Amino acid sequence: MTDATRDLLEQYFDTAFAAPEGIKKLRELILMLAMQGKLVEQDPADQPASELLKNIDFEKQRLLKAGKIKVPKPVPPVTPEEAPYPLPQGWEWVRLGNIASYIQRGKGPTYTDFSMHRVISQKCVRWYGLDLEPARYITPESLQKYEAIRFLRAGDLLWNSTGTGTIGRACIAPENVEDHEIVVDSHVTVVRPVLISPLFLWRWIQSPIVQDEIEGSASGTTNQIELNTSTVINHLMPLPPLPEQYRIVARIDQLMARCDALERLHNERDAKRLAVHAASIQQLLAAPSGTAWHFIGQHFHELYSVKENVADLRKAILQLAIMGCLVSQDPSDQPASELLNEIEAEKQRLVRCGMIKAPKSLPAVTEAEKPYKLPRGWAWVRLGSVTQFINGDRGKNYPSKDKLSPTGIPFISALNLRNGTVVQDDLLCVSEVQFQKLGSGKLQKNDLVFCIRGSLGKKAIYPFDVGAIASSLVILRPFIRSSSFLRFTDIYLSSTLLFNEINKHDNGTAQPNLSANNFMCFLMPLPPLSEQHRIAAKIDHLMALCNSLEHKIEAASYKQAELLNSVMAQV
Amino acid sequence: MSISTLIKTIQDIMRKDVGVDGDAQRISQIVWLLFLKIFDDKEQEWQLTVPGYKSPLQSRFRWSNWAKDAEGITGEELIDFVNNDLFPSLKKLATAAGVSPHGRVVGSVFEDAYNYMKSGTLLRQVINTIESDVDFNVSEDRHLFNDIYEKILADLQSAGNAGEYYTPRAVTQFMVDILDPKLGETVMDPACGTGGFLTCAIEHLKPQVKNRPDKEILQATIHGVEKKPLPHMLAMTNLMLHGIDVPSNIRHDNTLSRPLKDYGPKDRVDVIITNPPFGGMEEDGIENNFPRKYQTRETADLFMALIMHLLKHDTGRAAVVLPDGFLFGEGAKTTLKRELIEEFNLHTIVRLPKGVFAPYTSIATNILFFEKGEPTKDVWFFEHPYPEGYKSYSRSKPLEIKEFDLEKAWWGGPSRKGRKTTQYAWKVSAKEIVDKNYNLDAIGKNPHLVEVEHGKPEDLMREYQGIVAQLETAQAALKAELMACLGGKA
């Protein structure tokens, strides 16, 4: 590492490692520095690694003579060209075959429900250690076929050797494995190191130098990665003097513990940020004219550094809108009661012309059920008294799957409703003939479509001239065609007030169901028509600001990640 | 050998047989074989304990005489014997005159049984496997039998298709413990499946059985009905294993096929404990057996109507497992719920979390406890919590009986005295239920969970800033250390 890299790291440390993947990268940085010999001082008094290698060879010869191990396969020497990076004085590049007395995959056992002996599978090998919980049991007959050398010993490295997402994960067998005669299955490779620190070997395997290489080696049509035994035997590793191995391992442990603490604080901070925001929004909605808004403004920067809070802010804005707190009231506006009269007159007219059936009468709004106090000029109304509810045709003419095609008249289902609009991809259609057969559920432009079965609450203003609805939806057609009233109804349908009401009908099953009859009775606050117009305009403006806030958050976190990657690439 | 390995071994042998087609037939074959073996074991016992016991089977049809010997008849000879001698003779026991009650039991099992296997050699292998590996006499745990059923259901892959689920043992045990049936009271399960509730009730009553007449009372008071032949066969076998020598009160019938008005006072029972199939649909015409106000195709609702009808006045009590759908549903369900409130004391609803019936279904269920006679004043809800650290139950992490200690401690004994509102339990008055149009689901939401206390934003902000300061210190320290490592070398 050059001085320039070092300065770069120092300068951008805080910003870069605050990125979402920051702590993970920080851990990688620690391991990389460790494996380059930069984490602890070299001690010239330590016996160099070349001497250690001689001792290892000597020990392996002894084991061979004693019949404890098989004749090792010859391992080619490491050439200078192969060395991935320069090592400090006293270190050596070696192959795992050089420093291990035994490298082999396990073999497939015959399993049984219970016995005295367990088989390690890839599931048991975790970065945090060996987890015996998922290990299955082997029959005594099958166990007989395992030679003594295959039983796990303390200090063995277990290395997952197959499958994306699983391969490369490793752990060290703990002290107590020898009491239990444990074997491994054919997906796990056992590496039994001689006279070196097993934990140093494990940290090397964990370092990005090794992990990235394994990940990059995906091959074959299925992209199934395999770690062959021969690859493992020939795998390179930097070997420091033995005392230094122990010092490095201790130092890594210490720094990783600091990373753990950092990670914990990160999570605590993120959770707390959401909590502060939720509490202040709650206070804001409980008393819109209180101090909450001032508080949010004061801490705006911290609170809105994450998208979750912006999403909650949007909800709060919509709720404030239907509480009458978003724009000021104008005493000269025609009150909502006038609007209601107009709606009633229009309804009567439609019935007289035979355009609609006479709607059912809905129960009057009682004082007790009103959720909150409305501003002067507003009124509580039942949703069904201001909009017509139209169910789809769920009878014998309901189009079966094979009647649906990509062209024709749009047949809208909940799948097409996303983020409050009708999305056109995957739009399915029915033929003109089929459409004519449908007895009801036909859409007009500027109808509201709302999902009452399944994904309760998805909705949109219908943008096309013609269409029909699937069985999960219902059409809400305002009795008066006013763009302000349409927009305000749409705002109401997105509000927390409505969702709290809906949640009472969500029974937690996969198909929650809100009956149209119940839905009709929902209470909606109705402002004067001209105020509805002002509210809609205000909402447009505020939502645009929220959008740009979200984009900025995204852009910032993207830049952070870029910076992080570029800094890491220099190391 | 474990049960699952045993069943698998037997199935593997049967797969080689050309006559057996599919798991359903394999299972049915295993079941009658097991029945004969268990019946034979029982006969050995009765010969010693029942004075003057005479086997209803001809000597050569007894398991110990044709099957037990591993070197016994095999091949053509065995198949010929089973198809042309054994089956006709056993089937006859169902209808022939002068057959002892023990014989009737065998007859009713074999009425619907059939030998699917065509190879006598393979049949011999199956018999020998059963003979060498199954010994229900030594088995301390008779619930082994339930394990067999569960394994069978899993293999059939049809569990749930008609709304039939194996009820977890913890649930049956809890319901029986609470209802606490007394010897002499009639206990009934109108959809008894393999008899899980009934065997649980039998075990509960056993300490009260002191002598031979007591035993006869027990035998006479345990009633069950099952519609499907296979579970019925399993239920008979299961009850025999639990000491009911002649389980002739376990009928193979559809309880719903008899018009409701035909059930008279003599059909009424003291205790009903059941998990009716839900989500199932009954065949056309079944609903016509019910008064118009109850008419629906939903099996569980029809069963509820029947259960309410069958309970004795003033003493009848019941515990029934029902899905959330019953609590919020309308139509016939509203009628049922209104009657439950007006004519019954629906005193407690235990709301079980999702996953209790895993892996068959993940829907949330409830246990309704009610008594006939007095109208309901208040309904207590108890929301059963997951144990610490659980997000759901699963096959490997099932609901356990000790979890119900929470409910039992809160229950207040048989008189339900001194119940308190806790974080899991709350009370709703009958009037509130009527006001909500009998939507027990909406009203049965735990009020203690709805309240989210956020705390004051100012306090939380101070805590937030504290954490941020700590974070900065920790990060600065780590940065300094790492930079020192680099500085020393660069």
Side-chain angles (χ1 to χ4, degrees):
Chain A
M1 189 182 301
T2 62
D3 280 353
T5 315
R6 184 188 175 280
D7 291 346
L8 192 74
L9 196 59
E10 175 145 41
Q11 187 181 352
Y12 295 119
F13 193 92
D14 293 328
T15 317
F17 291 107
E21 291 260 271
I23 307 274
K24 183 170 167 265
K25 295 283 178 194
L26 197 52
R27 291 180 195 273
E28 291 182 11
L29 175 68
I30 291 166
L31 289 173
M32 272 161 80
L33 295 174
M35 294 305 151
Q36 291 169 2
K38 287 175 181 151
L39 218 50
V40 300
E41 297 276 327
Q42 275 77 47
D43 185 345
D46 289 344
Q47 191 191 43
S50 50
E51 288 300 311
L52 175 60
L53 270 176
K54 283 181 198 155
N55 293 344
I56 293 172
D57 271 338
F58 190 73
E59 174 64 11
K60 278 164 69 175
Q61 287 302 325
R62 190 186 68 77
L63 289 170
L64 185 62
K65 281 205 195 91
K68 295 276 175 65
I69 59 171
K70 289 188 213 137
V71 183
K73 291 206 181 93
V75 180
V78 183
T79 63
E81 297 79 49
E82 272 183 292
Y85 53 84
L87 293 177
Q89 198 72 37
W91 290 40
E92 296 288 341
W93 282 107
V94 297
R95 297 189 192 278
L96 293 191
N98 297 126
I99 52 97
S101 63
Y102 171 74
I103 296 179
Q104 195 172 28
R105 288 226 202 162
K107 56 182 179 183
T110 310
Y111 293 106
T112 177
D113 287 355
F114 184 78
S115 74
M116 297 306 291
H117 302 282
R118 307 184 91 160
V119 186
I120 300 293
S121 67
Q122 296 200 106
K123 277 194 203 122
C124 307
V125 178
R126 296 284 161 188
W127 283 121
Y128 60 76
L130 186 64
D131 179 8
L132 279 179
E133 197 50 41
R136 295 166 67 191
Y137 295 91
I138 178 172
T139 61
E141 301 80 44
S142 179
L143 192 75
Q144 300 272 308
K145 297 183 187 135
Y146 286 74
E147 306 89 325
I149 200 165
R150 286 183 180 270
F151 291 104
L152 275 193
R153 297 184 200 166
D156 282 358
L157 177 95
L158 301 169
W159 202 359
N160 284 355
S161 304
T162 183
T164 318
T166 322
I167 193 171
R169 205 163 62 208
C171 72
I172 296 294
E175 285 298 333
N176 59 0
V177 290
E178 289 173 34
D179 309 339
H180 300 292
E181 294 186 292
I182 295 171
V183 292
V184 303
D185 75 10
S186 60
H187 301 295
V188 179
T189 306
V190 177
V191 179
R192 186 165 296 151
V194 181
L195 298 183
I196 70 160
S197 157
L199 287 170
F200 180 81
L201 169 61
W202 177 66
R203 288 295 191 184
W204 163 247
I205 302 289
Q206 196 181 32
S207 75
I209 305 161
V210 176
Q211 291 298 317
D212 291 353
E213 186 190 317
I214 294 175
E215 247 164 59
S217 68
S219 64
T221 45
T222 56
N223 260 3
Q224 193 62 280
I225 326 173
E226 283 285 334
L227 200 55
N228 299 322
T229 307
S230 58
T231 318
V232 176
I233 292 173
N234 289 310
H235 185 81
L236 288 177
M237 125 171 209
L239 187 70
L242 191 58
E244 192 176 342
Q245 290 175 23
Y246 289 114
R247 292 204 301 278
I248 292 174
V249 168
R251 187 81 172 116
I252 294 176
D253 285 348
Q254 195 190 15
L255 292 173
M256 289 297 173
R258 284 169 176 266
C259 287
D260 292 344
L262 219 50
E263 206 158 32
R264 190 173 45 76
L265 285 167
H266 264 280
N267 293 339
E268 268 179 38
R269 179 199 58 186
D270 293 349
K272 194 62 84 177
R273 183 161 43 206
L274 297 184
V276 178
H277 187 254
S280 45
I281 289 291
Q282 196 188 38
Q283 210 172 60
L284 176 69
L285 292 178
S289 54
T291 56
W293 188 242
H294 174 72
F295 176 84
I296 292 173
Q298 228 177 0
H299 302 288
F300 203 84
H301 183 70
E302 286 112 312
L303 291 177
Y304 298 108
S305 55
V306 286
K307 280 165 74 178
E308 291 95 319
N309 283 349
V310 182
D312 281 350
L313 179 64
R314 283 177 194 272
K315 285 187 205 152
I317 291 171
L318 292 169
Q319 184 58 27
L320 287 171
I322 63 159
M323 289 164 76
C325 301
L326 217 51
V327 300
S328 52
Q329 277 76 45
D330 183 342
S332 65
D333 284 345
Q334 206 183 37
S337 52
E338 289 294 314
L339 174 61
L340 270 176
N341 290 339
E342 271 176 49
I343 291 174
E344 198 50 44
E346 177 64 12
K347 217 190 306 184
Q348 297 303 333
R349 193 187 65 79
L350 289 170
V351 173
R352 272 199 310 278
C353 316
M355 308 279 279
I356 60 170
K357 280 193 290 187
K360 281 193 237 188
S361 68
L362 298 170
V365 181
T366 64
E367 209 52 45
E369 60 180 328
K370 292 179 181 171
Y372 47 82
K373 201 169 161 356
L374 291 176
R376 189 179 276 277
W378 288 44
W380 283 109
V381 296
R382 296 210 187 272
L383 192 52
S385 64
V386 292
T387 60
Q388 186 192 354
F389 275 67
I390 306 166
N391 267 313
D393 185 343
R394 284 185 268 156
K396 61 179 175 3
N397 289 323
Y398 192 79
S400 53
K401 271 223 168 72
D402 56 312
K403 294 265 167 45
L404 298 172
S405 68
T407 54
I409 294 169
F411 187 72
I412 306 294
S413 76
L415 291 176
N416 304 114
L417 305 180
R418 235 174 282 158
N419 301 327
T421 54
V422 176
V423 289
Q424 295 219 37
D425 18 324
D426 308 328
L427 196 62
L428 288 171
C429 300
V430 290
S431 66
E432 179 70 37
V433 178
Q434 187 72 31
F435 180 74
Q436 290 305 336
K437 279 191 200 160
L438 291 174
S440 69
K442 295 184 179 177
L443 283 158
Q444 298 174 3
K445 197 180 169 84
N446 290 333
D447 280 347
L448 287 153
V449 268
F450 194 90
C451 177
I452 56 172
R453 289 176 196 90
S455 323
L456 292 190
K458 284 173 102 179
K459 50 102 206 170
I461 295 177
Y462 192 63
F464 313 127
D465 289 327
V466 66
I469 52 166
S471 59
S472 56
L473 305 181
V474 66
I475 300 174
L476 275 67
R477 183 170 297 159
F479 285 122
I480 53 160
R481 290 299 195 175
S482 140
S483 62
S484 304
F485 180 57
L486 176 67
R487 276 299 319 279
F488 184 79
T489 311
D490 188 45
I491 290 166
Y492 163 70
L493 291 178
S494 326
S495 70
T496 311
L497 175 67
L498 177 106
F499 272 84
N500 287 344
E501 202 57 39
I502 287 182
N503 284 341
K504 292 184 191 160
H505 293 264
D506 184 350
N507 49 48
T509 58
Q511 281 295 331
N513 187 348
L514 170 66
S515 78
N517 284 339
N518 282 331
F519 193 18
M520 266 183 223
C521 293
F522 279 20
L523 286 181
M524 166 174 161
L526 190 71
L529 195 58
S530 37
E531 188 173 342
Q532 291 179 21
H533 179 74
R534 295 199 302 277
I535 290 173
K538 188 76 172 178
I539 289 280
D540 284 344
H541 179 64
L542 290 172
M543 290 301 151
L545 288 177
C546 285
N547 282 347
S548 84
L549 194 56
E550 271 174 343
H551 287 149
K552 292 211 175 83
I553 294 170
E554 258 172 52
S557 112
Y558 180 74
K559 272 288 159 232
Q560 259 179 344
E562 266 193 330
L563 176 68
L564 176 64
N565 288 333
S566 105
V567 169
M568 284 299 286
Q570 306 274 327
V571 178
Chain B
M1 203 184 296
S2 71
I3 282 300
S4 59
T5 332
L6 170 74
I7 300 280
K8 195 169 173 303
T9 312
I10 295 177
Q11 280 177 323
D12 284 345
I13 302 171
M14 286 189 191
R15 263 190 201 102
K16 296 181 208 149
D17 192 290
V18 290
V20 198
D21 199 4
D23 275 331
Q25 294 187 355
R26 276 191 272 277
I27 296 302
S28 153
Q29 181 92 17
I30 295 177
V31 169
W32 71 253
L33 284 166
L34 281 176
F35 174 83
L36 278 186
K37 175 173 163 58
I38 289 163
F39 189 77
D40 190 62
D41 287 347
K42 279 277 163 189
E43 285 204 300
Q44 320 267 356
E45 189 187 313
W46 296 331
Q47 249 144 12
L48 299 174
T49 56
V50 182
Y53 178 79
K54 191 177 169 302
S55 173
L57 305 180
Q58 288 174 41
S59 155
R60 64 190 184 112
F61 295 138
R62 297 179 64 171
W63 176 273
S64 42
N65 292 338
W66 67 270
K68 208 174 187 77
D69 178 8
E71 303 291 322
I73 52 169
T74 178
E76 289 285 316
E77 197 191 347
L78 178 60
I79 285 295
D80 185 54
F81 167 76
V82 168
N83 287 344
N84 300 326
D85 293 336
L86 183 68
F87 265 71
S89 147
L90 297 188
K91 278 180 193 279
K92 223 178 278 164
L93 291 173
T95 48
V99 175
S100 70
H102 293 90
R104 283 275 182 255
V105 171
V106 179
S108 73
V109 167
F110 275 82
E111 235 176 345
D112 302 296
Y114 186 77
N115 175 40
Y116 293 100
M117 292 187 76
K118 287 234 158 65
S119 156
T121 333
L122 292 171
L123 179 58
R124 169 51 65 190
Q125 280 183 36
V126 171
I127 290 170
N128 289 353
T129 312
I130 292 178
E131 190 50 43
S132 61
D133 287 309
V134 190
D135 190 351
F136 288 103
N137 283 341
V138 298
S139 171
E140 283 294 300
D141 188 1
R142 289 281 162 81
H143 292 288
L144 196 65
F145 199 77
N146 290 339
D147 295 347
I148 294 186
Y149 181 56
E150 201 185 354
K151 170 74 183 147
I152 288 171
L153 269 187
D155 283 355
L156 275 174
Q157 291 292 321
S158 70
N161 278 358
E164 320 145 319
Y165 308 114
Y166 169 82
T167 314
R169 176 145 163 68
V171 174
T172 58
Q173 179 77 58
F174 169 64
M175 288 164 66
V176 169
D177 287 352
I178 291 296
L179 286 186
D180 188 23
K182 303 280 187 299
L183 189 65
E185 288 183 320
T186 36
V187 177
M188 180 184 197
D189 183 347
C192 71
T194 55
F197 282 108
L198 298 177
T199 51
C200 209
I202 292 167
E203 291 303 319
H204 182 87
L205 290 166
K206 265 192 186 159
Q208 301 172 36
V209 174
K210 303 279 187 266
N211 47 36
R212 185 98 210 142
D214 282 354
K215 199 171 176 197
E216 270 153 27
I217 292 173
L218 177 64
Q219 193 151 310
T221 50
I222 299 288
H223 294 257
V225 185
E226 173 54 41
K227 177 170 125 179
K228 301 220 164 164
L230 189 63
H232 173 251
M233 235 189 270
L234 285 159
M236 302 274 275
T237 327
N238 201 357
L239 260 72
M240 279 168 63
L241 280 173
H242 283 83
I244 302 294
D245 293 343
V246 189
S248 47
N249 283 332
I250 309 302
R251 289 183 300 117
H252 175 199
D253 197 358
N254 184 353
T255 329
L256 303 177
S257 62
R258 186 169 161 202
L260 193 65
K261 61 177 169 29
D262 290 4
Y263 286 96
K266 68 175 172 43
D267 295 308
R268 297 236 156 86
V269 296
D270 297 291
V271 175
I272 292 182
I273 181 160
T274 189
N275 175 7
F278 21 95
M281 290 289 169
E282 286 301 316
E283 58 187 291
D284 288 357
I286 283 281
E287 72 260 37
N288 294 332
N289 293 328
F290 288 79
R292 179 156 291 280
K293 60 179 177 175
Y294 297 134
Q295 281 186 12
T296 169
R297 288 284 191 87
E298 164 63 77
T299 311
D301 295 351
L302 295 176
F303 268 109
M304 260 317 267
L306 179 76
I307 292 163
M308 287 156 64
H309 183 73
L310 282 183
L311 282 179
K312 275 189 192 161
H313 285 287
D314 301 323
T315 53
R317 57 192 191 277
V320 182
V321 179
L322 287 169
D324 275 1
F326 182 80
L327 301 195
F328 64 75
E330 292 168 1
K333 292 185 175 71
T334 309
T335 313
L336 289 168
K337 285 183 280 189
R338 189 176 58 237
E339 292 182 2
L340 267 182
I341 298 290
E342 288 171 0
E343 294 160 31
F344 293 76
N345 183 7
L346 175 64
H347 53 80
T348 315
I349 296 178
V350 174
R351 310 208 70 176
L352 296 174
K354 292 175 193 179
V356 169
F357 287 83
Y360 308 117
T361 171
S362 65
I363 63 170
T365 48
N366 307 274
I367 310 174
L368 275 63
F369 291 91
F370 52 94
E371 297 169 348
K372 198 166 188 171
E374 303 230 330
T376 307
K377 283 198 203 75
D378 302 300
V379 178
W380 278 94
F381 285 89
F382 193 105
E383 187 172 64
H384 186 82
Y386 285 119
E388 191 107 354
Y390 278 45
K391 287 213 179 72
S392 181
Y393 295 109
S394 61
R395 195 188 277 270
S396 56
K397 287 196 295 187
L399 174 71
E400 291 188 33
I401 181 68
K402 64 175 187 298
E403 289 179 36
F404 285 113
D405 289 350
L406 262 178
E407 278 88 343
K408 289 179 183 166
W410 165 85
W411 204 270
S415 53
R416 303 186 293 276
K417 282 273 179 336
R419 285 185 173 184
K420 292 204 171 59
T421 301
T422 70
Q423 63 184 121
Y424 307 120
W426 65 99
K427 184 168 75 169
V428 175
S429 74
K431 184 176 177 310
E432 286 173 82
I433 290 167
V434 176
D435 289 347
K436 285 278 184 223
N437 195 24
Y438 302 98
N439 187 340
L440 293 170
D441 185 57
I443 209 159
K445 292 263 190 286
N446 192 340
H448 309 286
L449 296 180
V450 183
E451 287 294 317
V452 184
E453 198 36 70
H454 280 299
K456 281 177 69 183
E458 288 79 6
D459 296 342
L460 291 168
M461 195 67 201
R462 255 193 305 283
E463 288 167 36
Y464 171 80
Q465 283 160 344
I467 295 170
V468 170
Q470 277 182 55
L471 189 60
E472 278 164 9
T473 319
Q475 187 153 323
L478 184 58
K479 177 181 171 184
E481 285 205 39
L482 285 176
M483 294 327 282
C485 293
L486 295 169
K489 308 297 290 181

